[in-house]
Amino acid sequence: MVFDATMTMTRMDEITAAAEVWHVDADETQAMLIDGVYGAAEALGFSRDGLVLHAGQGLAGAVLARRVPVLLRELDREAFEGSEAAAASGVVAAIGIPVFDEEKLTAVLVVMFRGNPGMVGGVELWVGRRGRVELGLTEAYYAGLERFGKISKYVNFPIGSGLPGMAWAIGAPRLITGLGKSQAFLRSSGAESAGLVTGFGVPIVHRNELLAVMLWLSSRATPLARWHQVWESSDGRVESLRCVAADGVGSGEVKSEKLKVKSREGVGSGGAELQAAITAAVREAGQRRMPVVFDDVSAQGLEGVGLGEVKSEKLKVKSVEGEQGNWGGAKPQAAGWGGRGGRVLGGFALPVLRHDGVRAVGVMAW
Amino acid sequence: MDRYVEIVNLVKAYPNPVGEAIRVVDGFNLNIRKGEVVSVIGHSGCGKSTVLTMVAGLNAITSGDVVVAGSVISGAGPDRAVVFQSPCLLPWLTSFGNVMLGVKRVYPHATRQERKEIVEYYLSLVGLADAMNKYPREMSGGMQQRVGIARAIALKPKMLLLDEPFGRLDSLTRMDLQDVIMGILNREKITTMVITHDVDEAVYMSDRICMMTNGPRARVGQVLDIPFDRPRDRRAVLEHELYYDLRGCLIDFLEKFDKHKHVGKGDGREGMSGDDDVRGDGKGVELAGAMDMMLGLPADDNAEMSLKISDMATGVVGTAEVLSLAEVSDGV
Ligand SMILES: Nc1ncnc2c1ncn2[C@@H]1O[C@H](COP(=O)(O)OP(=O)(O)OP(=O)(O)O)[C@@H](O)[C@H]1O
Ligand SMILES: [Mg+2]
């Protein structure tokens, strides 16, 4: 491979550094790393090959022992296995998410994050507090969101309210784009001043009980994920999974009908190859009842997607008008795509299971 | 004690002009810890008073439950004392007499001397040691409201319910009374729900602020924790590094639900609030009825009194029910 300085820079500039799927053995005593995507951090990937952790050991082991999501804002040797290799790839924080199939904890999804100066984004865990009927913020990793984070820990959402409350109420992932102007995102003015544009909330459930809602908050310049999709199944069957919400590079919600329009035109939430990869990952996640990771997918067809609201009518206008359309901050980002070689560095499909099938699958890709 | 008060799925439906039941409040949920002060804010007409009067037991609950200290409430009782915007004092009794009404009810076995001391204690708590023998007409609105507060607290309630208690007062008097209440709450640690329109008042007084969405179908939209220690000092609160962010959080919420700004947007629960003015007339009717009952004569025989309570019918009904009418004629 030809060494390309700009490319390497760009890739190491992604907040989301890696995602891993850990398989939990039948008696829940150990977790084994079975798949991982590391983007440009290849050394990190090699260093983690074949890892096995016992309950209580490292991040996946902590999730195993506690049976709740665990977010580490600092990766010290105690809490995180292989913290040196992670640090060498710029990783400063990580989250471990349990996936339950009925009573059994079957898998842990681990996602690692960077925190270079200038990055803006956050991951939050919203959990029910003792004696309360609302969700409160228990843990968060913030990059460049000091003020937003400071006030967020005093905010609580009841079921149905705010992004955490909505994900709780529908029992499926929920996507909000255009956070700064959103009616549904109650911390919108904080989001706006911090530069956040997209919020993705994923309920983490054990049977019918909500353990937490995980929120991903992305800025336009340094998004945690460039694509978010929500797939829901009306009857629990994997074949019934349909994409009900998706975004493109950083904003604009797309409803399923509109998605068709978009893919025909070859723009929007990814080129055909990316969409095919996502669809395959979603189905696999539903079938295997496990999280699934994917990477190195072509994002061709993305250049030229605007950051404005992606409504079908507007989309047409946009493709006709080209650069005259509602571009928002798209141009710098479109330029960034060239630097990445037009490839998706990583992504995962995380299922929300129910006893007789799959309720929904949340997809994030960066 | 984390769930000293539990408000569970509270619903209030009123019939609209064509007789359909409209859920003004729909699924209001809130737990309150013992000794906690929770304020409720939301746009005018969203249903704050509806929730508070249901908790007080003065307004029939359509569905849902209110549990106070482990018991489901049924109707009003002296365990939940209410203070409305207008004090609703009985005009023919002095401040001493007005407070004594409640004290008799909750200390039925106390001696005359003991009751007298209790009344004097609560009146001095609100700064009226020198005005015990004044009649309502001889007192300012702020002083009357102090009597109302003393009367409520003298009931030794499990819960104090305040519906815009300072809404009618000028800002200096308002601040004085905020401090009076804060002083009492620091001492007596009464679990309190207070409705206010004033964001600064909410931040200064509360441990938590419950923000309501717009009606119809109003419910809790967001709850903000106020992390300031007690006792609080007004200046220290104002200078706290979080003050403006907390305040901003409330204002953001209110702006988001400002129906004049966002008509027709949102999730369908917003921007469709019922007509605020619908209540005006009905209230007057209720009021007149309640006063008739209390006085045994037409309300308009006492213009001053009807003026005072003219738009706070629930207040009168509340006073009458909480103190129980039988005791009114009993004198002091
Ligand atoms: N008796 C009634 N019959 C029908 N509708 C009523 C009745 N009482 C109140 N309402 C309606 O219920 C809604 C909530 O009223 P409520 O008095 O609880 O509001 P609020 O939040 O206290 O308002 P404000 O801030 O103006 O005091 C209003 O739309 C009002 O018109
Ligand atoms: Mg009111």
Side-chain angles (χ1 to χ4, degrees), chain B residues 264-308:
Chain B
K265 281 196 197 167
D267 65 5
R269 283 191 167 201
E270 302 154 17
M272 308 195 305
S273 174
D275 187 346
D276 296 341
D277 305 323
V278 169
R279 299 164 292 163
D281 293 345
K283 223 172 213 177
V285 175
E286 268 180 55
L287 164 79
M291 286 315 295
D292 285 355
M293 280 162 66
M294 291 174 84
L295 298 172
L297 45 86
D300 50 8
D301 272 18
N302 191 325
E304 190 190 341
M305 186 193 323
S306 52
L307 184 87
K308 235 175 265 156

Side-chain angles (χ1 to χ4, degrees), chain B residues 44-50 85 163-164 195 197 279 283 312:
Chain B
S44 186
C46 74
K48 302 179 293 295
S49 299
T50 302
Q85 204 173 54
D163 192 345
E164 297 186 53
I195 294 176
H197 274 122
R279 299 164 292 163
K283 223 172 213 177
M312 262 298 144

Side-chain angles (χ1 to χ4, degrees), chain B residues 176-244:
Chain B
D176 278 349
L177 276 195
Q178 286 166 359
D179 288 330
V180 164
I181 295 250
M182 296 279 276
I184 291 169
L185 293 180
N186 285 339
R187 211 187 285 217
E188 314 258 322
K189 304 263 185 286
I190 308 171
T191 309
T192 300
M193 178 186 245
V194 52
I195 294 176
T196 177
H197 274 122
D198 181 334
V199 261
D200 295 293
E201 181 171 288
V203 175
Y204 179 49
M205 293 188 64
S206 329
D207 297 306
R208 277 192 296 154
I209 302 171
C210 168
M211 295 166 241
M212 276 181 79
T213 63
N214 287 355
R217 306 192 64 199
R219 68 211 152 91
V220 179
Q222 188 174 334
V223 178
L224 185 67
D225 299 339
I226 305 296
F228 305 146
D229 293 337
R230 289 181 189 273
R232 289 182 187 171
D233 171 67
R234 192 181 293 273
R235 168 158 300 182
V237 165
L238 285 170
E239 287 172 358
H240 195 282
E241 53 152 1
L242 280 170
Y243 186 80
Y244 281 94

